[in-house]
Amino acid sequence: MRTAVVVGAGIGGLAVAGALARSGWQVTVLERDDRVRADRTALVLWPNAVRALDSLGLADGLDAISTPLPDSGIRRPDGQWLVQPRGTGGRGPVIVHREDLHDALVAGLGDQVEIRTGSAVRTVRANERERPAVSDDRGTYEADVIVAADGIDSAVRGRLAPESTVVSSGCAAWRAVIPWYRVPPLNEGRPVVGETLGAGYRFVAAQLGQRGSSGGSTRGGIYWVATAAGAPRPEPPATQLALLRRWFARWHPPIGDLLAATEPDDLVQQEVRELRPLPREYGFPAGTGGFALLGDAAHAMPHHLGQGACLALEDAATLRSVLRDAAPGRQVREAIAEYSRQRRSRAATVVRQTRRMSAVLQARGRLALRARDAALGTISPRLMGSAATAAAAWKPPA
């Protein structure tokens, strides 16, 4: 029996664990937290992520839990258009609640996957003579393949690619889902969706599901993300929410209404961080197989283009493809090297686009903002169009 250990039970970790199990692998998932769970927010799945889910056999129920995301354009805080909505053409991105996607991924694990919670990896064994292994406080786990899906602070990556370090992206983000029963009447009944840019600030809102369609479930409503230049705030959520209301007080409707309808318990604050430089390799042959970096452990980036989870699903689909028929030993080692080859250039391209957009979004100061606003109508469509093209162009490997 071919064996795999997946370190981390996030979106990418659960996706690859289920995919390998359905390909005949015996899989163990190690999760550092005391239980496997998702946060209370949502995420956007671009066409590349939808294709990845489809290749993993997980897309059948996606329409039931997702909402199409129309092109929103970009506004200034006073409501003036910087970039008019232009339409996406073909199938565009969808938005899904993280808990709904998490439930679908857990359901796809099957009975070949064992999950061990409260397991924080401390040491990594990677050499030519022994099977790959990781250890926590309770024991050592050997396998033919070990997948590091343990996030931006990956202990496995720290051992295999120490040259890649975690740095601040210079901003913090707040996310929330306002359940339908608290959403005020907005925009004359039309879908609430939009992006607004200010001096070092950004606000994005999107409709999650249809009002009344979820039977009172808190998983439907209005999802919003607010980004502000600077460090995360140490204050309690109620104080953070008061700051957000003050920062965005003069912005166009319905931003103030959305913040007024938000409660402190809805808030999820996140320091925006990234890896610099990216690891030189994403696959590390060792012993009878090797290690693979996946998701934020491989290519953590700012959230500005919404590609973090999408790339993690691409990683999972690619790793499953190269390992599907590989036997432990030379074949698995070659598959690990092929995974690295396929993922390096892809991740580097998306990260480069994200960093360019980050520089545009974080313009501050009167002169910089004036130059940004004057150029955004040209720069932003090119950057976003390039990102959308890259997302649409990716297809799962045969």
Side-chain angles (χ1 to χ4, degrees):
M1 174 69 74
R2 299 175 296 175
T3 59
V5 168
V6 177
V7 184
I11 290 173
L14 292 175
V16 77
L20 291 177
R22 290 188 295 276
S23 299
W25 290 70
Q26 181 69 48
V27 183
T28 300
V29 176
L30 306 179
E31 168 57 39
R32 69 167 65 95
D33 289 342
D34 58 355
R35 62 189 179 95
V36 177
R37 56 189 161 188
D39 65 36
R40 309 180 307 275
T41 63
L43 58 85
V44 174
L45 298 178
W46 288 82
N48 53 321
V50 176
R51 289 195 187 100
L53 286 171
D54 186 52
S55 74
L56 294 169
L58 296 170
D60 287 348
L62 185 60
D63 287 345
I65 61 173
S66 65
T67 306
L69 190 66
D71 180 27
S72 62
I74 304 175
R75 295 178 184 267
R76 289 176 29 160
D78 61 4
Q80 179 181 337
W81 287 107
L82 286 168
V83 181
Q84 291 273 359
R86 302 186 179 198
T88 55
R91 181 166 185 174
V94 299
I95 183 171
V96 60
H97 200 289
R98 284 179 177 268
E99 290 179 333
D100 288 332
L101 181 60
H102 173 269
D103 290 349
L105 295 175
V106 170
L109 292 178
D111 56 7
Q112 293 279 49
V113 178
E114 177 187 5
I115 299 179
R116 300 189 180 187
T117 58
S119 177
V121 168
R122 306 294 185 190
T123 60
V124 177
R125 187 179 74 200
N127 59 61
E128 292 295 320
R129 299 178 304 277
E130 300 177 279
R131 295 178 79 204
V134 292
S135 301
D136 62 11
D137 292 333
R138 294 178 290 188
T140 298
Y141 307 89
E142 294 184 346
D144 299 308
V145 171
I146 294 179
V147 182
D150 48 343
I152 190 172
D153 296 308
S154 171
V156 182
R157 187 199 62 246
R159 163 68 171 80
L160 300 174
E163 76 281 358
S164 187
T165 59
V166 179
V167 300
S168 172
S169 298
C171 58
W174 289 262
R175 306 171 188 266
V177 173
I178 308 170
W180 280 125
Y181 65 85
R182 275 199 270 116
V183 174
L186 298 171
N187 220 16
E188 299 178 358
R190 294 190 297 271
V192 176
V193 60
E195 176 173 353
T196 306
L197 295 180
Y201 295 86
R202 180 191 190 204
F203 195 95
V204 182
Q207 179 171 308
L208 182 61
Q210 298 297 320
R211 186 188 291 268
S213 64
S214 57
S217 168
T218 58
R219 294 188 182 182
I222 302 299
Y223 171 56
W224 61 257
V225 183
T227 306
R233 304 296 304 197
E235 298 91 348
T239 305
Q240 295 177 29
L241 183 56
L243 286 171
L244 289 169
R245 289 169 176 166
R246 187 178 74 194
W247 291 341
F248 294 95
R250 297 181 182 273
W251 287 39
H252 68 81
I255 293 174
D257 295 324
L258 293 178
L259 289 172
T262 303
E263 296 182 354
D265 288 344
D266 299 329
L267 280 187
V268 176
Q269 182 184 207
Q270 172 193 5
E271 180 184 10
V272 182
R273 300 181 295 160
E274 59 189 286
L275 293 180
R276 285 183 181 261
L278 294 178
R280 291 189 290 267
E281 301 289 343
Y282 289 157
F284 301 84
T288 58
F291 295 81
L293 303 182
L294 185 148
D296 281 352
H299 39 63
M301 68 190 84
H303 62 285
H304 306 310
L305 294 181
Q307 281 292 320
C310 299
L311 283 190
L313 292 171
E314 285 186 23
D315 293 342
T318 304
L319 189 59
R320 180 254 189 181
S321 177
V322 299
L323 288 174
R324 180 167 43 199
D325 300 319
R330 179 181 59 84
Q331 290 183 358
V332 170
R333 290 169 61 91
E334 290 176 351
I336 292 294
E338 176 63 15
Y339 167 78
S340 182
R341 186 191 69 80
Q342 291 192 29
R343 297 310 298 161
R344 275 183 322 200
S345 60
R346 168 66 174 165
T349 296
V350 176
V351 169
R352 183 167 58 250
Q353 293 168 335
T354 300
R355 288 175 179 168
R356 291 174 64 196
M357 182 57 71
S358 182
V360 172
L361 296 178
Q362 295 189 51
R364 301 184 74 180
R366 182 176 299 175
L367 293 179
L369 184 61
R370 185 178 301 166
R372 193 280 310 276
D373 285 358
L376 191 61
T378 300
I379 295 174
S380 183
R382 286 208 310 265
L383 286 178
M384 292 184 173
S386 178
T389 299
W394 183 86
K395 295 180 180 179

